[in-house]
Amino acid sequence: EDNEASTGEKPWNKSSEVKIKGDKPLPPWKEKNVAKLASQIPEADVLISAPPGNMPPVPPQDENMGIKSSLANTFKGDRGGAAEDDELLAELRAISMKSATDRFNGEEDDNRPPSLGQTPAILNASDRRDDRHDPPVASKPAETKTQQNHTSGIEPKQMPVASSIGSGGMMPTPPPNAGSEITITLDDIEESLKSTNWQLRKASYLFLHDRLNNIKQSGNHPMNQLNGEVVYESLDAAIPHALKDKNAGALDAALALSILYADSCQGVCSDNASSQIMISLLKGSAFSSSRSNTLASVEELVLMLIEVAPEGSNSIDDIFHLIQEHGLKSRKPKVVLFSAKLTLKAVNTFGAGVLPISKLTSHSERLIAHSNAQVREIGIKLLAEMCRTLGSKAPLQNVIDKLKSSQQSQLDSHLDAQSIPTAPLRRLRCKMGEPISTQSPEEALAALKKSQEEEEARRLASRPAVNLFQVLPQTCYKEKMKLEKWSEKVAALDALIASGGEQPFKLCPPSSSINYTPLVRELKQLLSHTHFAVCSKALAALGMLAEGVGEQIFPNLRPLLPTLVALFKDKKVIKATASCLDKMFANVFSFEHLLDSKESLSSSLDEKKQKNALVRKNILEFLARCVKASGTYGARGELTIQYAENLSKLACDKLKDSDAATRKAATDVLLALLSYKEESVVTAAKNITSSLEATNPRAYKSLKLASTGDSKAVGSKAAGRPQSAPAKASGKTGKKESRANMMPKSSTKNTALPKPPPSSNKAEESGEEKSLPPFEDAVEALAALG
């Protein structure tokens, strides 16, 4: 008070020296490194200025910060009275609430300018020490220069200072243009895209979005024909990189840019562009985001990638494959749930008919088996939509059989509620010029089979070939093959087949280091083994070589054809021989090799040379299977007109065989030719079979029915015994019973069948002729009568 009286000046208007921790001495355990810390911290001048305007004087407050005390105020003097100022308390309360709210806004608030009521602070960049964590320096206290404002009457200690000092004790480096608008140009766009500051990255994405939108609207560019280099020379590579952004605000800007890019630029139509974008979405934070607007943008981007997929590309297949591998198999539950919803959304948007149904089938299998109830429900809905598209549940019966009874009931309820496929909301751009047509269930089923075959072919093409002679020494093949016991040889052959790897087999072609001749020679010797199991395994090994190596092993397998055909006489190895020959056809042998005059099947079908009817029958059945499988696999399975004529002549000649089963097999060959998918082959077969009208009229009528469209009825009669013929008896008793049943009850002596009454018109006669069984089946029926 004496000092106040002598100077005539209020204490809170005096310029005082600001101390870091007051005048209290430091504890002994903090005095050790004071000198060292003091040398590392530079001095800095902090200039604190009050906001403009006249502010009322604020008296000093006690530790209660304006809280009223219940005790009586006994102080007498100039500073007596209530220490309350409504305006100042309201301002301090607003500042306190603002600071408490801004703590949870993260890095977005680091660059926000000071709000109203705060006093701007000008801090030197060198002064980055946090007084709350660093110990004070007693030897060199920081000096504070304060502007004198006698009208405001606010103490410097009570003035709020805007600071962005972090909890770590160091103030983070402010971003460029902090407190002002960020400006992006093409010159610095590359650095901005790679910046560690999320605001710069976000501004770069928005800059590219606006630039792309302006170029799109200014010019007449068709859909997906805009060159991305016009916008930015590295735009195609920048899109997948931008989608990996982990900041939520920057990611939203990157998604908006990517959607416009997919809608406008031609770079998205390349082979791997959609795959790279999907990988960035799945491996980044897009699919795992908790923001609804972010997930909506991701969904729109994926649907846009499907819509702009060019015709004939694998983009749509790759998209659903990546969703299955990285989305449905993710360990994050919300990623799996969003991937499931996205798959169902794509099906409802475009229709299951234009999407790869084989991929959708595998999606539904995985979803139905998931532990999450929501995911399982989506799987059932997806399966129901595919059943509607395919027309029934039969094509997906293998998936439906794995469902629980409750899930099957749930599927039936979905199908009962809606029996027709959902109408698509959007169309693929490659189908825009075509008329809108609903895909029939048959077409959808055919597309399913075709997609499965194409997928299997791609998978086989991507598989590496197996070097059999590198894998075989690691097995027991060599040791067990030397043993005499048949079971040891079977084990050795099993090891050889297992060394071929996954089926269908894919082996390395012959070369200087890969020679299949010794192996084929060893397998040929096993074909004459006394035990049928060894012979069957040797045939399976030869089939593996034929399927895995292909036409390049033809010189080794061509001499084996007569030996393999002769094995048909052994009933125990007929099935193994047929399987081996089926794998050799189209992979190693062609129709030319099977029908040539030297060591071909024609000589084995000659009844004078091959007395065994079982061999002749199985050879013709093999040829019928070759005709049906022609063009479906292998590189040598083409059926030309010349081959069709040769087969027709051979089959017509075998209709004269003494064995009924052989004649029936020859009829199957002709029926396969007459029902072939190419009209030229059918015409060639008809020209040859027309000669049967004079030589074998009953067989000609049967084949004519097949050529006029009733091929199913004729095929069923040719494939088995007619329904009117008696069943073959297993023993002598059965033969007597069958004969007794065929005898008329009125007379046992007269075994002649009663003559039918004369018909009234010729139409009935022709109808009865059509209902007669084929000639060969009639012969079998008469043979059964004895």
Side-chain angles (χ1 to χ4, degrees):
E1 295 179 358
D2 297 339
N3 189 16
E4 178 184 350
S6 60
T7 58
E9 189 176 7
K10 298 296 181 182
W12 52 82
N13 286 337
K14 291 184 178 181
S15 61
S16 59
E17 193 177 74
V18 178
K19 296 183 179 181
I20 299 176
K21 289 289 185 177
D23 296 334
K24 295 181 180 181
L26 291 174
W29 59 83
K30 290 187 177 181
E31 294 180 354
K32 295 181 180 180
N33 298 327
V34 169
K36 183 178 179 180
L37 293 173
S39 62
Q40 297 178 357
I41 301 175
E43 296 182 2
D45 294 337
V46 179
L47 181 61
I48 302 175
S49 61
N54 297 328
M55 299 181 64
V58 179
Q61 299 180 358
D62 56 0
E63 296 180 355
N64 293 328
M65 294 298 294
I67 300 176
K68 296 182 180 179
S69 176
S70 60
L71 302 177
N73 186 7
T74 59
F75 182 82
K76 295 181 180 180
D78 297 337
R79 300 182 182 179
E84 297 180 2
D85 191 317
D86 295 337
E87 296 181 0
L88 181 59
L89 289 176
E91 184 177 1
L92 293 175
R93 190 178 296 109
I95 295 173
S96 177
M97 294 176 63
K98 180 65 177 175
S99 62
T101 304
D102 292 346
R103 287 185 300 179
F104 304 97
N105 289 340
E107 59 180 339
E108 297 183 5
D109 298 328
D110 294 343
N111 305 321
R112 186 176 297 168
S115 59
L116 296 177
Q118 291 182 340
T119 304
I122 304 174
L123 303 179
N124 293 335
S126 60
D127 189 8
R128 297 180 180 177
R129 180 179 56 83
D130 192 350
D131 294 339
R132 294 173 295 177
H133 299 278
D134 296 341
V137 182
S139 59
K140 294 183 180 181
E143 298 180 358
T144 304
K145 297 181 181 180
T146 309
Q147 290 184 350
Q148 302 294 333
N149 190 349
H150 299 281
T151 59
S152 63
I154 301 179
E155 276 194 12
K157 291 182 180 181
Q158 298 176 354
M159 293 295 296
V161 180
S163 175
S164 60
I165 301 177
S167 60
M170 298 294 292
M171 183 174 65
T173 305
N177 301 329
S180 61
E181 185 179 357
I182 299 176
T183 303
I184 303 295
T185 60
L186 281 177
D187 297 333
D188 56 359
I189 185 65
E190 185 174 356
E191 297 180 359
S192 301
L193 290 172
K194 299 178 181 179
S195 175
T196 56
N197 180 22
W198 69 272
Q199 290 181 329
L200 277 179
R201 299 195 304 272
K202 179 179 179 181
S204 303
Y205 304 150
L206 295 177
F207 169 78
L208 292 176
H209 179 276
D210 295 340
R211 179 174 173 81
L212 175 58
N213 192 28
N214 293 335
I215 294 176
K216 178 184 177 182
Q217 294 179 357
S218 61
N220 185 15
H221 300 283
M223 292 185 297
N224 298 109
Q225 296 300 320
L226 179 62
N227 189 359
E229 295 181 356
V230 178
V231 182
Y232 172 51
E233 59 181 0
S234 302
L235 182 63
D236 296 337
I239 294 298
H241 178 74
L243 293 173
K244 297 178 182 178
D245 208 307
K246 297 185 180 300
N247 182 271
L251 180 60
D252 288 342
L255 287 169
L257 171 62
S258 302
I259 294 172
L260 184 61
Y261 167 79
D263 186 41
S264 308
C265 298
Q266 61 183 3
V268 76
C269 299
S270 61
D271 294 337
N272 59 347
S274 58
S275 299
Q276 292 179 356
I277 292 176
M278 288 300 302
I279 290 174
S280 300
L281 292 175
L282 289 163
K283 294 187 176 182
S285 58
F287 269 59
S288 59
S289 177
S290 301
R291 298 159 60 111
S292 58
N293 57 342
T294 302
L295 295 178
S297 300
V298 173
E299 180 182 283
E300 177 59 28
L301 176 58
V302 176
L303 295 179
M304 184 64 67
L305 292 176
I306 297 175
E307 180 182 340
V308 301
E311 187 174 6
S313 68
N314 299 326
S315 300
I316 299 179
D317 293 354
D318 295 339
I319 289 173
F320 283 97
H321 175 72
L322 292 172
I323 291 176
Q324 179 178 359
E325 293 297 323
H326 302 285
L328 300 181
K329 295 182 180 180
S330 177
R331 295 183 179 180
K332 300 179 180 179
K334 57 183 178 181
V335 174
V336 178
L337 182 59
F338 178 71
S339 301
K341 292 180 179 179
L342 181 59
T343 302
L344 185 61
K345 179 69 174 179
V347 171
N348 293 333
T349 302
F350 298 100
V354 299
L355 301 179
I357 301 183
S358 59
K359 298 287 185 183
L360 298 178
T361 304
S362 58
H363 279 216
S364 63
E365 289 186 54
R366 188 165 191 87
L367 294 176
I368 291 170
H370 202 269
S371 58
N372 192 319
Q374 286 182 280
V375 176
R376 293 197 301 270
E377 173 66 21
I378 295 174
I380 295 294
K381 293 180 179 179
L382 181 60
L383 184 61
E385 184 61 29
M386 288 190 294
C387 290
R388 299 187 194 104
T389 304
L390 297 175
S392 66
K393 297 189 295 184
L396 303 175
Q397 193 62 40
N398 57 340
V399 181
I400 298 175
D401 292 339
K402 301 177 183 178
L403 301 179
K404 299 178 181 179
S405 57
S406 59
Q407 292 177 332
Q408 293 184 2
S409 302
Q410 190 177 3
L411 175 63
D412 293 337
S413 63
H414 283 297
L415 294 177
D416 293 339
Q418 181 182 349
S419 59
I420 59 175
T422 304
L425 303 176
R426 295 163 65 171
R427 298 187 65 194
L428 301 180
R429 292 191 180 179
C430 60
K431 306 289 185 182
M432 285 295 185
E434 301 178 2
I436 300 177
S437 60
T438 305
Q439 192 177 30
S440 63
E442 292 77 12
E443 294 175 347
L445 184 58
L448 173 61
K449 293 181 179 179
K450 183 179 179 181
S451 62
Q452 290 177 346
E453 293 174 357
E454 293 176 351
E455 182 181 359
E456 183 65 22
R458 287 196 301 268
R459 191 179 68 86
L460 179 61
S462 61
R463 277 171 45 197
V466 177
N467 189 345
L468 194 62
F469 298 99
Q470 288 183 353
V471 182
L472 202 58
Q474 303 175 6
T475 64
C476 61
Y477 173 78
K478 189 175 182 180
E479 292 78 8
K480 289 186 177 295
M481 188 58 68
K482 296 178 181 179
L483 302 178
E484 295 297 331
K485 194 174 182 181
W486 68 269
S487 59
E488 300 295 342
K489 294 186 180 297
V490 169
L493 292 172
D494 285 335
L496 172 63
I497 297 173
S499 301
E502 182 184 357
Q503 295 187 17
F505 298 104
K506 186 178 182 181
L507 304 178
C508 293
S511 62
S512 58
S513 59
I514 300 176
N515 186 13
Y516 291 100
T517 303
L519 181 60
V520 173
R521 188 184 303 114
E522 188 175 21
L523 294 175
K524 180 181 178 181
Q525 295 175 357
L526 294 176
L527 295 178
S528 59
H529 198 275
T530 56
H531 201 282
F532 74 94
V534 178
C535 184
S536 299
K537 288 295 181 180
L539 288 169
L542 289 173
M544 176 194 70
L545 295 177
E547 183 181 37
V549 181
E551 55 185 327
Q552 297 183 7
I553 203 174
F554 171 78
N556 301 105
L557 298 183
R558 178 64 180 86
L560 293 180
L561 186 58
T563 305
L564 296 176
V565 169
L567 292 175
F568 277 129
K569 65 180 65 175
D570 189 356
K571 294 183 179 181
K572 294 182 180 180
V573 296
I574 285 179
K575 186 176 180 181
T577 305
S579 176
C580 179
L581 288 174
D582 289 344
K583 291 184 178 180
M584 288 184 178
F585 172 73
N587 290 318
V588 180
F589 300 147
S590 64
F591 283 108
E592 179 183 2
H593 305 132
L594 298 178
L595 300 176
D596 61 1
S597 59
K598 184 180 179 181
E599 294 182 353
S600 64
L601 300 182
S602 302
S603 59
S604 299
L605 288 173
D606 190 357
E607 193 172 359
K608 296 179 180 180
K609 297 180 180 180
Q610 181 56 258
K611 301 297 182 180
N612 195 313
L614 197 60
V615 175
R616 302 195 302 271
K617 166 184 168 293
N618 283 282
I619 290 176
L620 291 171
E621 290 179 351
F622 167 62
L623 290 176
R625 293 195 302 270
C626 292
V627 173
K628 294 177 182 178
S630 174
T632 58
Y633 67 95
R636 293 189 168 187
E638 183 182 4
L639 178 59
T640 62
I641 298 177
Q642 183 63 39
Y643 299 153
E645 291 177 353
N646 295 339
L647 281 172
S648 300
K649 293 177 181 179
L650 182 63
C652 289
D653 184 62
K654 295 314 295 177
L655 289 176
K656 304 174 184 178
D657 197 280
S658 61
D659 182 64
T662 304
R663 295 195 300 270
K664 179 178 178 298
T667 305
D668 292 340
V669 174
L670 293 175
L671 289 175
L673 290 170
L674 292 173
S675 60
Y676 196 70
K677 55 187 177 182
E678 294 183 6
E679 188 63 28
S680 58
V681 173
V682 176
T683 304
K686 287 182 178 180
N687 294 334
I688 301 299
T689 56
S690 61
S691 62
L692 295 175
E693 186 176 4
T695 59
N696 196 341
R698 189 169 290 272
Y700 176 76
K701 288 182 180 180
S702 300
L703 295 174
K704 189 176 181 181
L705 289 176
S707 62
T708 55
D710 196 11
S711 59
K712 293 183 179 180
V714 176
S716 63
K717 292 180 181 180
R721 299 175 58 82
Q723 295 180 357
S724 60
K728 289 185 178 181
S730 58
K732 296 182 179 180
T733 305
K735 289 184 179 181
K736 293 181 180 180
E737 291 179 355
S738 62
R739 291 180 183 179
N741 292 332
M742 293 297 295
M743 298 291 290
K745 295 182 180 180
S746 60
S747 175
T748 58
K749 294 182 180 181
N750 188 10
T751 58
L753 296 175
K755 296 182 180 180
S759 56
S760 59
N761 51 35
K762 295 182 179 181
E764 294 181 0
E765 292 180 0
S766 61
E768 290 179 0
E769 287 186 4
K770 291 183 179 180
S771 63
L772 290 176
F775 173 73
E776 293 76 13
D777 296 334
V779 171
E780 290 184 7
L782 294 175
L785 295 176

